[in-house]
Amino acid sequence: MQLGEVAKTLNTQQLNENLIITKIQEYAKTPLLNFRSSLFPAIISKFILIAVILTIIFIAALSFVIYTIFKKVINNERGQIGNLKALGVSNFKILSNYIAYMLIPVIFLTLIG
C-alpha cells in the first residue's frame, strides 16, 4: 500500500464507522481514563519509595540481630580469646576468624535468597 492510499483510507467514513462500532473514543472524551493513566508515574514512585523504606528497615533489623548474636558469641568465648592472645595470636587473626564465622552463613544465605 502506498502512503497516499493509507491517507485516503484513514480519511474515509468507513474507518470512522468502524471506530464507532468498536466503541473507541477520542482522547478528549475519556477524562477518567486519561486521569488514571496520568497517575501511573506517581503511583510507581510511591511504590519505589515504600520499597526503599522497607528495605532500610529490614537491613536495620538484620544488623541489630547480627550485632546481638556476634556480641553474645564473643562474650561466651572471652576466655578462649584471652588464651589466644596469651599465646601471641594477633588481634587481626582473632577478629578475622570471628568475622568469617559470621559472614560465611550470611553470604551463603544471600546467594540462596
Side-chain angles (χ1 to χ4, degrees):
M1 221 179 199
Q2 298 291 334
L3 186 59
E5 294 173 11
V6 173
K8 287 179 186 177
T9 306
L10 290 175
N11 291 329
T12 62
Q13 184 66 25
Q14 182 183 5
L15 179 65
N16 292 335
E17 290 173 3
N18 288 340
L19 290 177
I20 291 171
I21 291 171
T22 57
K23 297 184 180 179
I24 296 176
Q25 298 176 355
E26 294 177 15
Y27 185 81
K29 292 183 180 178
T30 57
L32 184 60
L33 183 61
N34 300 341
F35 179 68
R36 287 181 186 172
S37 64
S38 66
L39 286 178
F40 283 132
I43 291 171
I44 289 172
S45 67
K46 298 299 181 200
F47 276 116
I48 290 173
L49 180 66
I50 290 170
V52 168
I53 290 172
L54 289 178
T55 302
I56 291 171
I57 291 171
F58 178 73
I59 289 173
L62 185 62
S63 299
F64 176 73
V65 169
I66 289 173
Y67 170 76
T68 305
I69 292 171
F70 195 66
K71 185 176 177 182
K72 187 173 183 177
V73 167
I74 289 178
N75 282 337
N76 286 339
E77 297 183 3
R78 183 174 286 184
Q80 292 177 2
I81 293 171
N83 289 337
L84 289 172
K85 283 187 176 185
L87 291 172
V89 179
S90 68
N91 289 338
F92 178 75
K93 286 186 178 181
I94 295 171
L95 183 63
S96 64
N97 184 24
Y98 285 102
I99 289 176
Y101 177 71
M102 289 302 207
L103 282 181
I104 289 173
V106 171
I107 292 171
F108 180 70
L109 293 175
T110 303
L111 293 175
I112 289 175

